[in-house]
Amino acid sequence: MPKHDKVVKTWEILTTDEEIEAYLEMSNVFTVKRLYYNDHGPVHSRIVAGSAMAIYKVLYEGGFKPSVVKDGVGDVEDSLAVTLIGAYLHDIGNSVHRTHHPIYSAMIADRVVGKVLEPIYGPTKKMYMLKQEVMHIVFCHDEAYTCLTFEGAVAKIADGTDMAEGRARMPYEIGKNDIHALSALAIRRVYVGRGKERPLAIYVYMDSETGIFQVDEVLGRKIATSGLAPYVEVRTYVQGRPWIVRTFETTHVIR
């Protein structure tokens, strides 16, 4: 994919805005410190954003057309910027409450996304249209909702790929030892690439079979409601040896 200056500028603004960073840090205050959940703060945001860019690249080079482009909202660079912002901000609503956090995330995105887009696009009609694309991504990252765009699907799947042990370390150390924490601790690393049977593969390396809970109950549910499930395979490895290949039934397909 060619160099995208707008995407670079988008990342610079996202990661230096104090209001955005404050909300992401508060997301961890609520989820990790008060609920003993896995990380939902700035580190999670950066991991998901990076994963989204990697997934986007694999699928785009495999012939998938972004919804922003297909529907005439913008070009590929605009689509990438939208995906990056949505992936980075998807959990920001946890700074209000975990319950209904996709709604709060979209509400906060409505407030802050303009600060990211306006320096690049100006207060234009296009800027406001792209803002709505971001709000869709943010709202639909939760498995309770279906994605209607390629960009939303990419960010949603990327969210599910942040499963490795470091994300569960803090809640485990303060006393949480349920299946969610133990399963996450079993996962050593996750990366994305081209699949053998399907266009996108997610490779999950685990110390033990316990990690399959994260694959099925976290990543799998996001894949199923992403709209891209028919094109994704999850290849698991236990102590370096190939184990199970997972695919997931889809609730719908993005056309």
Side-chain angles (χ1 to χ4, degrees):
M1 297 176 68
K3 180 180 178 181
H4 296 291
D5 293 336
K6 289 180 182 177
V7 178
V8 173
K9 182 64 174 176
T10 295
W11 180 250
E12 291 175 353
I13 298 171
L14 271 175
T15 55
T16 58
D17 185 274
E18 290 192 354
E19 182 180 10
I20 290 173
E21 287 301 290
Y23 296 155
L24 291 176
E25 289 184 18
M26 285 303 300
S27 292
N28 258 3
V29 170
F30 278 97
T31 56
V32 177
K33 294 185 178 181
R34 294 173 181 169
L35 290 172
Y36 295 177
Y37 282 16
N38 291 351
D39 174 39
H40 287 76
V43 173
H44 175 60
S45 292
R46 285 163 171 77
I47 291 172
V48 173
S51 182
M53 294 295 96
I55 292 170
Y56 192 114
K57 184 175 186 292
V58 170
L59 293 176
Y60 181 77
E61 292 180 350
F64 287 78
K65 192 169 185 179
S67 299
V68 166
V69 178
K70 183 177 65 176
D71 297 328
V73 179
D75 59 20
V76 172
E77 190 171 17
D78 301 325
S79 171
L80 278 164
V82 160
T83 305
L84 180 63
I85 299 169
Y88 192 79
L89 298 180
H90 73 280
D91 264 340
I92 204 166
N94 283 288
S95 62
V96 177
H97 202 292
R98 178 65 183 171
T99 303
H100 303 311
H101 78 276
I103 297 173
Y104 300 133
S105 291
M107 291 171 63
I108 295 173
D110 186 50
R111 171 187 173 89
V112 303
V113 170
K115 296 172 64 178
V116 181
L117 292 174
E118 190 166 339
I120 301 170
Y121 295 93
T124 61
K125 178 181 177 180
K126 182 176 183 178
M127 187 274 283
Y128 291 112
M129 292 176 72
L130 293 176
K131 181 169 75 73
Q132 298 309 106
E133 296 280 12
V134 173
M135 288 179 65
H136 175 77
I137 294 171
V138 168
F139 177 72
C140 292
H141 83 273
D142 190 87
E143 56 269 18
Y145 309 105
T146 55
C147 294
L148 303 180
T149 67
F150 172 82
E151 294 81 4
V154 166
K156 184 170 197 166
I157 295 171
D159 183 24
T161 65
D162 187 15
M163 299 183 292
E165 58 175 330
R167 192 180 182 200
R169 182 65 61 187
M170 287 184 289
Y172 180 77
E173 289 177 350
I174 58 179
K176 185 175 184 180
N177 59 359
D178 63 5
I179 185 60
H180 290 275
L182 296 175
S183 179
L185 288 171
I187 296 177
R188 290 302 179 191
R189 60 190 177 98
V190 181
Y191 73 93
V192 301
R194 294 180 181 177
K196 297 180 181 179
E197 304 295 333
R198 299 188 176 196
L200 176 68
I202 301 171
Y203 299 88
V204 183
Y205 288 82
M206 306 180 288
D207 283 344
S208 72
E209 291 87 349
T210 309
I212 200 65
F213 179 86
Q214 288 286 304
V215 172
D216 289 344
E217 296 300 318
V218 179
L219 175 59
R221 292 172 67 189
K222 290 185 181 294
I223 292 172
T225 55
S226 70
L228 293 177
Y231 313 109
V232 184
E233 60 188 26
V234 182
R235 294 186 169 269
T236 64
Y237 298 78
V238 176
Q239 296 185 357
R241 297 179 180 179
W243 189 39
I244 295 172
V245 178
R246 283 283 203 256
T247 57
F248 299 93
E249 296 293 328
T250 185
T251 58
H252 69 300
V253 179
I254 295 173
R255 302 296 182 185

